[in-house]
Structure formats: C-alpha cells, structure tokens
Amino acid sequence: MKVLLIGSGGREHALAMSLVKSARLTKLFIAPGNPGTAALGENVVLNVTDHAAAINFCRLMGIELVVVGPEQPLVEGLVDALEAAGIPAFGPTKGAAQLEGSKAFTKELCRRYGIPTAEFGRFSEREAALKYVRTRGAPIVVKADGLASGKGVIIASTLAQAEEAIESMFSGAFGSAGAEVVIEELLEGEEVSFFALSDGSRALPFASAQDHKRVGDGDTGPNTGGMGAYSPAPVFTGDLQARVMREIVTPTIDAMAAEDMPFKGVLYAGLMICSDGPKLIEYNARFGDPETQVMLPRLESDLLSLIEQCARGNLERDAVALSDLTALTVVMAAEGYPGAPKKGTEIRGIEEAERMPHVIVTHAGTRRDGTRLVADGGRVLNVTALAPTLAEAQRRAYAAVDAIDWPEGFCRRDIGWRAITKT
Ligand code: AMP
Ligand code: GLY
C-alpha cells in the first residue's frame, strides 16, 4: 500500500517509524517531512492547503491512504476533499474536527449529551463575559474559542486577571480565535491525556500519557508545545480507562454520529481526574506531540492496519495491543524556545544515542546542511527510551540525551518527576 503522511514534526517521524514496520506498506511519502522521515520514505514538497494539488499528487502517485498528522489541515477540510475524490484518509472531516477547532462546539456537545466537563458560559460580547466572571468570581478559566496553538487559555487566579483576559481576547489578541470566548470553572486534580481510535461508529482505547508543558524544571516558566512525556500514565488505571470510555469517549463518538459528523481518526482527550470522577478539559482531533513518541513504541499491533481500519470504517474489536513497558521522551529544544529559537547550530552524536539499547531518537526541527545536521526550529529532537519501569526509562532516556553533542540545545532534566516521586 502506498501511503502519504502529512506533517513535519517528531510526531510524524514516530508515525513513519511505525508505518514502515508494516509488511503491507510498499511506499511512504511524507509532506513535507524532516531529515528523520527522509530515511524512511520520500519527503515531498506539497502545499496541502491547496486541496486540488493534494488530490492531484495522490492520483499521480497512486496513493491509497493519507494519514494527517497536524490539526490545521483537518480543520481546513483536507479529509473532506480527499474523501470526495475517493482517496481514503485517516483523520476527521472538517465538521468532526470541530471537536478540536471550536471549544464552544465541544462544550455545547457535552452539555447536550451529558458528557462530564467543567461548567461553562460562552460569549461573543465583552460586557456579558465580564458580568459572568463577576458573578462567578475567581479562580476561573478564560479561553479563546478557536485554534490558538495552545496559548489561548488563561487560568485567572483573581477577578482582575479574568477581566484583563476578557479585554485582551475581545481586543483581538488571538485574532479570530478570540472572537468568541469560553469561560469555565477551574477543575482540580491530575491531568491525563487519553487517546482512542475511532472508525466513526466504534471507539477503542489506544493509550494514556502525561506530558510536561512548562519549559523549566519543576514545571515552571512559560508553556510550550510539550517538553517531554511518558506512557502509560500511572494514575490511569484500567478501571479509570473503562469509566472514561463509558462516560466520555463512547458518548462523544455516538453523539458525533448522531449529529451526522462521524468522527474517524484519533480522539485525544485532555482529562482532569477530579475527586468526583474524570472530566473532559478539551479534545484534540489528532495524535499528540510528543505523546505519539511515547505511545507508538509501546504498540504491538500493526499501525498501518489500525489506521486503515479507522479510515475504512471497520475497526476490529481487539485491534489494539500494547506492551506493558513504559516509555519516556525528553524533548531537546534550541536555545530561545519557546521564544525565538536559535537556528543553524550543529547537532552531533545522534547515532551514538540510537545505538544505546531501547532508545529511539526522532527528529522535529532539524535540517540537513550538506553533511551536517543543524537545528531549524524550537523543539528539535525527541529522545525516547523504553523500560520495565518509569524510573528506568527516565535513566535510559537521559543517558541517551547525554550522548548527543549539541551545546546550543537544552532540555528539562526532570521529565516524569511527579509520577516517579509518587511510586
Ligand atoms: P486547553 O487548551 O483547553 O487544553 O487548555 C490548556 C491547559 O489549560 C490544559 O492542559 C489544562 O492544564 C489547563 N486548563 C484548561 N481548562 C481548564 C479547566 N477548566 N480547569 C483547570 N485547568 C484547565
Ligand atoms: N502535546 C500537546 C499536543 O499535542 O497538543
């Protein structure tokens, strides 16, 4: 089978690594890919915002399945266009991707179908929003409705902060993403990411993970796209998973089907494990980055076959098999990240790290410059290790990080600390 994978991050390198393990794969194209994916398939330049160009490429190359990594092309309706042209694709249609693309859509769906989530109000008028927070008081959470690269969420611990957040969103601080604002109750508990696969009518549990969003050790400093992760999340027991499937994931898949927007692909639930049970914080309509880098090394089933079953609408009941091993990923970032990262610095020693047992290195923001590998983005490398315990996975991952010679790069030294301290 000829497959086109869309994206260029560590997530897509990890997806490519799993896809090439399938005996059924005959050729993998990655658009645009990165130096890591170039070793596994053919990187191609393709403007996927131009749906006609994407369809032409697929026809020309005989692509039989398209796998979409990032959210933007999903929200822009790439899957709708491919499917209308008869090309199977993994990922939700534009309508179903609203689960990620619009917080208000998801909150309304939860309200209509009784899916547990934080209490909320939605506002397109500044005055009404201000009145709501003044009635509710702080702490309270203020969110821009649309996609804002994870930056459109403000946890206000005082009323003044909440008012300021509302003012800045209605003044266009997040562009059109902030034209509507969702205000919700602050949930307290432990946060877990849970991933489920769906073919539009059936949902299967995939895996759990926890990530570290802050740039600094001890979970301090500004938010990032994710500085590291581990899977499984120790807090996410089998009972909890069954409850989340029963109360949150399955009702969502059923609701989307009932609303005539069946959700196909991977549903990524951001959950808060509260004292009165699990609650939905938000959905994403795609695999996580760096969560994919810790989940896929644990997958024992054939990823291509799973993805194909989702795309074709015939997901088998016991299709997902995961190993009991724990995986932990450390993200190596370029100096300056999450602000403007320093580019063009040379990275050496990846081969040494990869030779260490149970270690996988994936590329994100890297570039080839002749024979040199250089940094070309904020999050640059992901170093993943597998082990029987989280503490051992952490030890192996940092040993591999230390084999990489990149003076201008940095990473957190404490990925996994909360979970390791508890056990
Ligand atoms: P979101 O983009 O909705 O996932 O929000 C980003 C982060 O803000 C989440 O990962 C949570 O850590 C936090 N957050 C969002 N909503 C809430 C809430 N209602 N209560 C507590 N924390 C929240
Ligand atoms: N790691 C967070 C995300 O993929 O959205």
Side-chain angles (χ1 to χ4, degrees):
M1 170 173 292
K2 287 187 180 174
V3 176
L4 169 64
L5 169 64
I6 293 171
S8 65
R11 165 181 55 206
E12 285 75 23
H13 189 183
L15 284 165
M17 281 178 172
S18 289
L19 289 172
V20 299
K21 285 190 199 151
S22 175
R24 298 188 40 244
L25 184 84
T26 52
K27 171 99 191 179
L28 179 65
F29 293 94
I30 314 95
N34 64 37
T37 63
L40 301 168
E42 187 177 334
N43 286 353
V44 292
V45 179
L46 184 62
N47 174 10
V48 294
T49 59
D50 182 346
H51 294 168
I55 291 165
N56 274 342
F57 176 86
C58 291
R59 290 200 172 130
L60 200 65
M61 296 299 174
I63 301 293
E64 295 160 272
L65 179 67
V66 178
V67 181
V68 185
E71 62 274 24
Q72 200 67 38
L74 297 170
V75 170
E76 289 168 2
L78 178 62
V79 169
D80 309 56
L82 291 167
E83 286 183 343
I87 302 160
F90 176 79
T93 57
K94 185 175 180 167
Q98 287 181 88
L99 282 178
E100 171 159 6
S102 167
K103 295 189 194 299
F105 173 87
T106 300
K107 297 298 287 190
E108 295 289 356
L109 193 88
C110 289
R111 182 178 275 168
R112 277 204 305 286
Y113 290 87
I115 296 164
T117 186
E119 271 184 59
F120 75 102
R122 54 186 286 203
F123 304 92
S124 48
E125 303 289 338
R126 177 189 318 239
E127 279 316 311
L130 288 170
K131 190 166 163 218
Y132 184 81
V133 293
R134 285 172 192 148
T135 322
R136 291 265 157 175
I140 199 156
V141 183
V142 181
K143 302 184 176 186
D145 177 60
L147 289 182
S149 306
K151 298 185 184 78
V153 174
I154 289 160
I155 313 277
S157 41
T158 64
L159 187 56
Q161 283 171 358
E163 290 175 346
E164 194 189 313
I166 290 167
E167 293 290 353
S168 84
M169 285 184 193
F170 283 114
S171 311
F174 297 97
S176 60
E180 184 159 327
V181 166
V182 170
I183 301 177
E184 28 176 271
E185 152 203 19
L186 180 78
L187 297 175
E188 283 177 277
E190 185 159 348
E191 227 179 306
V192 178
S193 299
F194 175 58
F195 296 78
L197 294 176
S198 178
D199 63 0
S201 55
R202 164 175 289 160
L204 288 185
F206 189 72
S208 67
Q210 281 176 304
D211 71 344
H212 292 266
K213 292 192 174 69
R214 304 296 194 95
V215 74
D217 282 10
D219 295 314
T220 55
N223 261 330
T224 69
M227 293 301 291
Y230 46 91
S231 171
V235 58
F236 207 66
T237 58
D239 284 351
L240 197 50
Q241 174 172 298
R243 186 165 176 191
V244 167
M245 287 301 293
R246 196 171 59 240
E247 295 180 3
I248 299 179
V249 173
T250 303
T252 302
I253 297 299
D254 291 349
M256 293 303 284
E259 303 270 327
D260 249 351
M261 288 180 275
F263 184 95
K264 283 191 297 176
V266 56
L267 187 63
Y268 163 176
L271 303 170
M272 192 72 86
I273 312 306
C274 304
S275 54
D276 57 345
K279 291 188 183 164
L280 180 73
I281 300 174
E282 62 152 4
Y283 277 129
N284 293 310
R286 50 168 176 86
F287 277 111
D289 188 340
E291 290 87 343
T292 306
Q293 293 87 308
V294 283
M295 297 192 305
L296 290 184
R298 300 181 51 225
L299 181 66
E300 290 171 341
S301 332
D302 181 317
L303 180 68
L304 179 56
S305 154
L306 280 177
I307 282 183
E308 201 189 346
Q309 288 175 32
C310 291
R312 295 193 193 280
N314 59 2
L315 190 52
E316 287 164 18
R317 195 173 290 279
D318 50 4
V320 179
L322 281 184
S323 85
D324 290 333
L325 295 175
T326 290
L328 181 141
T329 289
V330 178
V331 171
M332 298 183 76
E335 268 173 19
Y337 181 75
K342 187 170 174 187
K343 292 193 178 177
T345 57
E346 184 169 5
I347 304 161
R348 295 193 196 86
I350 291 183
E351 297 73 17
E352 282 77 357
E354 281 173 328
R355 269 199 294 275
M356 301 171 86
H358 318 292
V359 168
I360 301 160
V361 181
T362 55
H363 292 238
T366 64
R367 178 171 62 82
R368 289 255 173 239
D369 177 20
T371 57
R372 301 185 323 146
L373 183 74
V374 299
D376 194 39
R379 292 189 293 170
V380 172
L381 293 174
N382 308 281
V383 181
T384 305
L386 272 168
T389 65
L390 185 58
E392 181 59 15
Q394 186 195 51
R395 198 195 60 73
R396 288 177 184 172
Y398 281 110
V401 163
D402 292 337
I404 294 175
D405 175 14
W406 180 33
E408 296 83 0
F410 74 94
C411 66
R412 280 183 55 166
R413 299 297 312 188
D414 65 345
I415 300 302
W417 72 275
R418 277 178 202 276
I420 290 171
T421 314
K422 268 189 222 154
T423 49

